[in-house]
Amino acid sequence: MHPVLPSEIQSKCYHCGESCEQEFISVEDKKFCCQGCKLVYEVLSQNDLCEYYELEANPGKSQKDNSRLKNRFDYLDDLDVGQKLLDFKNDLESHITFYIPLIHCASCIWLLENLFQINKSIFSSRVDFLKKKVQVKFLHDQISLKEVVSLLSTLGYEPKINLSDLDHKSKNPVDRKTLTKLGVAGFCFGNMMLFSMPEYFSEAELLGEGFKRLFDYLNVVLSLPIVFYSASDYYTSAWNAVRQRKINMDVPIVLGIIAFFLYSLWEIFVQGNAGYMDSLGGLLFFLLLGKVYQQKTFATLEFDRDYKSYFPIAVTRLIQDREEVIPLFKLQVGDVVLVRDEELIPADALLLSDQADIDYSFVTGEEVPIPKRKGELIYAGGRQKGEPILLTIQKSPSQGYLTDLWNNESFEKSNKRLLEPLANRISGVFTWTVLSIALVAFVFWMGKDLSIAVKAFTTVLIVACPCALSMSTPFTLGNTLRIFGKGKFYLKNAAVVERLALLDTVVFDKTGTLTDPANASIEYFGEPLSAETKSIIKAMVARSTHPLSNRINLFLGKIHPVHLEKVQELKGAGVLAVYKNQEFRLGSKSFTGVKGDHFSEGGNHVFLNVEGVNLGYFHIQSGLRNGASKVVKGLAENYELHVLSGDHAHERESLALQLSSELKFNFEQSPTDKLNYLKALNIKGKNTLMIGDGLNDAGALQESQVGIAITDRVSHFSPASDAILDAESFDRIPNFLAFARNSRLIIKASFGLSFLYNILGISLAVQGLLSPVLCAILMPLSSISVVVFTTLATNFMWVRKGLLHINKR
């Protein structure tokens, strides 16, 4: 690396770090690339906040494009929008939480938490760096919500506000409650162990009878919060299972807790012994610890999404040539809207402008923009490329072609409960077996010694309490979640791991999943094309909707098209045009009269013929995603493979040659077609995995047993799914699925280990040979050994499956 010269430093914008060699604005010997960056610096300087630049060099974001659409926050003046976005509001103050993806360094945090120095009407702001969120508290009679957002935008930290933010769906508070219960159990368990220390070392008599009884009674008091609060979720789960005439893993746990608690009370108050309240506290503490570990998810990722997560919260409506920014939910049929470059079409609408280039990759998966003419219908979800266009709304945003997908029953009910967790299936048989053994032991000893009968019955339930059995599943799956996360494969919850292990059918989306638009290629072979010929071809492909024509159109770039005397597209053949009384043909071999096979292999060929003379051809290839061939071949031996695509079938042979002849291709599939295809596979009894990348795949991802959304940026766009896979790890899909299968084997092995402990304990308990001390030792020992086994086994498989190096990228 060469040393950075002073001239190079001076050529960079003091605020954002962008190059400003050509044009720059100088203030106080500091250079700025634009007026926006200069404005931010002046605002900070006036408020003595230039420490922002001392924490990090060039920490800001370029403000060159910040002046576009100055009225873009007008919709925040709408009372309905404000009420839906605010977290809290009273007579004086309002609280709101913004998602700001541009938070990236210490300077960002420092500045955002010092907003009160810039505007005194903001009295508090707190940043959550990991979630890239900032909570702002302000006096709404002195500063409006619009002004708060405008201030943040001026500083270069424009909040990202989606239509789904208006729904204010309540978040599940279960994690916080579970942590509270874990904290209570840990506090009580720790103190109970302290009070039981004399018993552990058989020195209780040294305390004297008075202190010994006091410690026993304190253990009873400390057990009450554990039994009646920390264990409450297990009671609810067990009761719901019994009401449905089922036995899940929580039923034997509850029986063990009750037996443990009642037997300890009998020991303390009737027999005068120490009881086992400390062991009960340990049991609940480790169970809750496993539960928290199992529930650990990736808070920055969103797996459940619909179209509202991607549509704009506001649109620009035109009324008598006057622009007005309104909330999307106030858009009505007949309204005229202005859609600018890269903006999303908010609803099904007719094009009023002369032409438009619509990118439907968001909807169909086809990445090449499609030219549209005045009067044509443009569907919601398309993205305008180029100059601003005018549209007249034909349907409300909630009734468009794309949003109809979310009215499907697949989004209203979960078909993924069909795969019952392995632990629940085993626990039913296990519970009845333990109850039967306990009853047999009670009956056997009842005729000989009632106290031994009660002890044998209770001890069987206690020692057979499946704490090790129940912990093996969450610790194995939780560790698998952690390993997958390091490999940039993020699962919605631990249950997805079990479903991954049972799959037998894999369905791929094509565009953006198996293929990567960045790797696509197009070449021309033949007679050199003159500028006029290129203009003629440009005019021909601009009038065609075929994907190959769109590729050529994109390849020719900004060449100006000529006016054609006649143009006609023949479906499945090509485009016929007349220019200056000459006939031009662009299309297939048969359509252009080309003979022979002396052309480049693979891909698609589009031939050019002028007045019966073949001038050359375009060779078009869809670039495969890196590792796609390896993934398909790695899955072909164990899975049935399908491909769904919204494209035409012109690349079937090329893809089969590059990937595998085992693939079952299905082209021209709409979002609804994809969903119904997965539904048909499920009806046949297949356990399906869908891998897609676009919103058009959302229905299929939801209908499949497991849906994986592949994305280049996990914190950005991804449809509703069970898992999110970073594109960098795409080639590791076979390894991930194999790892999930082995995780299931590890669970079974840990079940076997825990069963050995149970059998040993039950056999001793039935014979009346199991002492309370041995019972107290055996239970935590079995739990700890199972946790150690599952952790070591999953980490061993992590290395063996070749996933270790992903973490070292």
Side-chain angles (χ1 to χ4, degrees):
M1 294 178 60
H2 70 280
V4 179
L5 301 176
S7 59
E8 293 178 331
I9 298 175
Q10 292 296 323
S11 65
K12 290 185 178 181
C13 175
Y14 182 73
H15 177 72
C16 68
E18 285 197 7
S19 175
C20 50
E21 294 179 0
Q22 303 293 332
E23 299 179 2
F24 62 86
I25 302 169
S26 180
V27 176
E28 300 176 357
D29 297 328
K30 297 176 177 62
K31 294 182 180 180
F32 300 93
C33 64
C34 63
Q35 287 287 348
C37 289
K38 170 178 155 298
L39 174 62
V40 177
Y41 170 77
E42 289 176 343
V43 170
L44 298 179
S45 180
Q46 290 170 7
N47 292 277
D48 296 324
L49 294 175
C50 286
E51 186 180 342
Y52 173 70
Y53 299 103
E54 297 175 8
L55 297 174
E56 190 90 12
N58 313 122
K61 180 182 182 295
S62 175
Q63 302 295 298
K64 289 181 180 178
D65 300 324
N66 207 35
S67 59
R68 187 177 69 87
L69 193 59
K70 295 180 179 179
N71 61 341
R72 62 186 180 278
F73 302 127
D74 287 354
Y75 66 92
L76 293 173
D77 286 332
D78 189 283
L79 293 178
D80 292 336
V81 172
Q83 290 176 356
K84 292 179 179 179
L85 289 176
L86 291 174
D87 299 330
F88 170 81
K89 183 178 182 180
N90 61 17
D91 294 338
L92 296 176
E93 61 188 67
S94 295
H95 303 174
I96 188 169
T97 302
F98 296 115
Y99 171 60
I100 303 180
L102 296 175
I103 299 175
H104 68 282
C105 66
S107 292
C108 303
I109 299 173
W110 183 85
L111 177 59
L112 290 172
E113 292 193 343
N114 281 275
L115 292 176
F116 66 92
Q117 296 192 47
I118 300 176
N119 192 308
K120 302 302 180 184
S121 300
I122 298 175
F123 61 89
S124 175
S125 54
R126 180 65 61 87
V127 175
D128 185 335
F129 180 73
L130 293 178
K131 296 183 179 179
K132 297 187 180 297
K133 290 183 178 181
V134 57
Q135 184 186 55
V136 180
K137 300 178 181 179
F138 59 95
L139 302 174
H140 51 245
D141 58 337
Q142 298 180 21
I143 185 172
S144 67
L145 176 60
K146 173 187 172 182
E147 290 171 332
V148 172
V149 175
S150 297
L151 173 61
L152 289 170
S153 179
T154 300
L155 296 174
Y157 296 97
E158 182 175 333
K160 183 178 180 182
I161 305 175
N162 294 319
L163 183 62
S164 58
D165 296 333
L166 300 182
D167 290 344
H168 259 290
K169 296 178 182 178
S170 59
K171 295 184 179 179
N172 189 355
V174 65
D175 288 338
R176 179 170 294 181
K177 287 183 177 179
T178 304
L179 287 173
T180 302
K181 292 175 180 178
L182 176 64
V184 171
F187 173 80
C188 295
F189 171 50
N191 282 279
M192 284 192 289
M193 287 187 66
L194 180 64
F195 294 143
S196 302
M197 287 294 289
E199 289 287 342
Y200 297 156
F201 296 101
S202 302
E203 300 292 343
E205 61 274 4
L206 297 179
L207 294 173
E209 188 63 25
F211 272 110
K212 180 180 180 302
R213 302 302 296 166
L214 175 62
F215 287 165
D216 292 341
Y217 296 150
L218 286 174
N219 279 343
V220 173
V221 173
L222 288 170
S223 71
L224 296 179
I226 294 178
V227 173
F228 293 103
Y229 173 68
S230 296
S232 59
D233 288 343
Y234 294 101
Y235 302 145
T236 303
S237 175
W239 173 245
N240 290 334
V242 171
R243 286 178 60 187
Q244 297 175 11
R245 298 181 180 179
K246 294 181 180 179
I247 297 292
N248 64 6
M249 183 61 74
D250 293 330
V251 172
I253 292 176
V254 168
L255 289 175
I257 292 172
I258 294 174
F260 224 152
F261 182 64
L262 294 179
Y263 185 69
S264 294
L265 290 178
W266 184 71
E267 281 278 309
I268 293 171
F269 291 103
V270 178
Q271 299 295 321
N273 297 324
Y276 315 106
M277 292 302 184
D278 54 332
S279 297
L280 177 61
L283 168 66
L284 264 300
F285 176 76
F286 285 114
L287 283 177
L288 288 171
L289 186 63
K291 188 174 183 180
V292 169
Y293 193 71
Q294 182 181 12
Q295 290 180 345
K296 183 180 179 182
T297 56
F298 305 91
T300 58
L301 304 178
E302 296 178 58
F303 293 89
D304 298 313
R305 301 182 176 186
D306 61 17
Y307 72 97
K308 294 181 181 179
S309 300
Y310 314 106
F311 273 31
I313 195 172
V315 293
T316 303
R317 181 172 65 183
L318 266 63
I319 300 179
Q320 298 179 350
D321 296 330
R322 178 174 59 86
E323 293 185 13
E324 176 187 35
V325 179
I326 62 170
L328 185 62
F329 64 82
K330 291 192 173 182
L331 191 65
Q332 297 179 356
V333 175
D335 285 347
V336 176
V337 297
L338 179 68
V339 177
R340 295 175 171 82
D341 182 36
E342 294 296 331
E343 289 185 347
L344 212 62
I345 310 298
D348 295 356
L350 289 178
L351 179 62
L352 297 181
S353 301
D354 291 334
Q355 64 180 21
D357 288 312
I358 307 299
D359 175 10
Y360 274 121
S361 61
F362 195 63
V363 180
T364 64
E366 176 56 55
E367 72 272 16
V368 181
I370 297 176
K372 292 289 183 180
R373 299 293 177 184
K374 185 175 182 178
E376 289 190 62
L377 181 65
I378 299 179
Y379 294 112
R383 193 182 298 277
Q384 164 61 3
K385 297 285 189 178
E387 297 297 320
I389 58 174
L390 293 178
L391 302 166
T392 178
I393 303 301
Q394 299 297 298
K395 292 182 181 180
S396 67
S398 61
Q399 297 176 339
Y401 163 75
L402 180 64
T403 54
D404 280 345
L405 183 64
W406 271 268
N407 295 326
N408 193 282
E409 61 181 4
S410 295
F411 286 85
E412 298 173 2
K413 65 180 182 180
S414 175
N415 65 325
K416 299 172 183 179
R417 287 175 289 181
L418 298 175
L419 301 180
E420 186 181 10
L422 179 63
N424 285 353
R425 294 206 302 271
I426 293 177
S427 65
V429 177
F430 179 80
T431 303
W432 289 117
T433 302
V434 170
L435 285 175
S436 301
I437 294 173
L439 288 173
V440 169
F442 179 78
V443 172
F444 175 79
W445 287 105
M446 186 172 62
K448 300 180 179 180
D449 189 329
L450 181 60
S451 63
I452 296 180
V454 173
K455 179 181 177 182
F457 176 79
T458 309
T459 308
V460 167
L461 288 178
I462 293 173
V463 77
C465 179
C467 55
L469 189 66
S470 62
M471 291 174 72
S472 61
T473 299
F475 271 86
T476 302
L477 299 184
N479 205 33
T480 301
L481 278 180
R482 178 182 63 83
I483 291 170
F484 281 1
K486 287 180 177 293
K488 298 184 179 182
F489 183 35
Y490 307 96
L491 272 58
K492 184 176 182 179
N493 52 49
V496 178
V497 180
E498 287 201 73
R499 294 205 300 270
L500 283 172
L502 299 175
L503 298 173
D504 53 34
T505 304
V506 179
V507 182
F508 291 98
D509 170 53
K510 182 183 79 70
T511 307
T513 303
L514 288 176
T515 63
D516 186 350
N519 295 334
S521 64
I522 178 170
E523 295 180 276
Y524 174 77
F525 298 92
E527 296 292 332
L529 298 175
S530 65
E532 185 179 27
T533 303
K534 290 180 180 179
S535 296
I536 296 170
I537 297 173
K538 178 76 172 181
M540 295 173 68
V541 296
R543 298 292 299 273
S544 171
T545 59
H546 195 279
L548 295 181
S549 297
N550 295 332
R551 293 276 179 89
I552 297 174
N553 192 1
L554 198 65
F555 172 72
L556 294 173
K558 297 182 179 180
I559 294 175
H560 185 73
V562 300
H563 176 71
L564 300 174
E565 299 168 14
K566 174 186 175 183
V567 61
Q568 181 182 7
E569 182 175 11
L570 303 176
K571 189 173 182 179
V575 181
L576 173 67
V578 176
Y579 178 72
K580 293 183 179 180
N581 296 322
Q582 287 186 313
E583 184 181 82
F584 287 77
R585 288 175 177 260
L586 189 69
S588 64
K589 287 173 59 176
S590 58
F591 180 65
T592 55
V594 175
K595 297 181 181 179
D597 295 315
H598 52 283
F599 310 109
S600 51
E601 296 182 359
N604 300 273
H605 301 88
V606 178
F607 299 89
L608 175 63
N609 180 289
V610 180
E611 287 293 311
V613 178
N614 294 310
L615 297 185
Y617 65 92
F618 293 92
H619 181 217
I620 304 171
Q621 288 183 302
S622 284
L624 290 179
R625 182 176 292 279
N626 295 333
S629 179
K630 176 183 176 182
V631 169
V632 171
K633 292 176 181 177
L635 297 175
E637 295 182 3
N638 301 313
Y639 300 91
E640 183 179 311
L641 303 180
H642 302 252
V643 174
L644 301 179
S645 174
D647 297 351
H648 294 272
H650 55 271
E651 294 181 319
R652 182 192 299 269
E653 294 182 3
S654 173
L655 289 173
L657 184 65
Q658 296 180 73
L659 294 172
S660 171
S661 58
E662 300 292 328
L663 284 169
K664 299 179 181 179
F665 290 95
N666 297 269
F667 291 93
E668 299 184 57
Q669 299 285 302
S670 69
T672 304
D673 292 335
K674 292 183 178 183
L675 187 153
N676 291 332
Y677 191 90
L678 267 295
K679 186 177 293 185
L681 289 175
N682 290 334
I683 292 174
K684 294 178 182 178
K686 303 289 186 180
N687 290 328
T688 53
L689 166 65
M690 175 67 193
I691 305 175
D693 76 315
L695 191 60
N696 60 307
D697 302 317
L701 291 169
Q702 183 72 12
E703 178 63 32
S704 60
Q705 296 291 357
V706 178
I708 299 177
I710 181 172
T711 177
D712 292 316
R713 292 180 292 179
V714 295
S715 60
H716 287 65
F717 169 74
S718 59
S721 61
D722 297 297
I724 296 176
L725 175 66
D726 193 296
E728 291 183 11
S729 300
F730 178 77
D731 60 342
R732 297 291 166 186
I733 290 178
N735 302 68
F736 288 131
L737 296 184
F739 192 96
R741 286 187 170 183
N742 283 291
S743 294
R744 189 174 174 84
L745 294 177
I746 293 171
I747 293 175
K748 290 181 178 180
S750 63
F751 280 0
L753 181 61
S754 61
F755 279 138
L756 289 177
Y757 286 116
N758 290 134
I759 292 171
L760 174 62
I762 289 172
S763 63
L764 294 174
V766 168
Q767 300 176 60
L769 300 176
L770 186 61
S771 66
V773 175
L774 185 59
C775 180
I777 293 174
L778 187 60
M779 290 183 59
L781 178 64
S782 63
S783 300
I784 293 172
S785 62
V786 166
V787 170
V788 171
F789 169 76
T790 57
T791 303
L792 292 177
T794 48
N795 279 281
F796 172 74
M797 291 307 304
W798 179 22
V799 177
R800 186 178 179 185
K801 289 298 177 184
L803 298 175
L804 181 63
H805 73 276
I806 291 180
N807 190 36
K808 297 181 179 179
R809 285 186 176 183

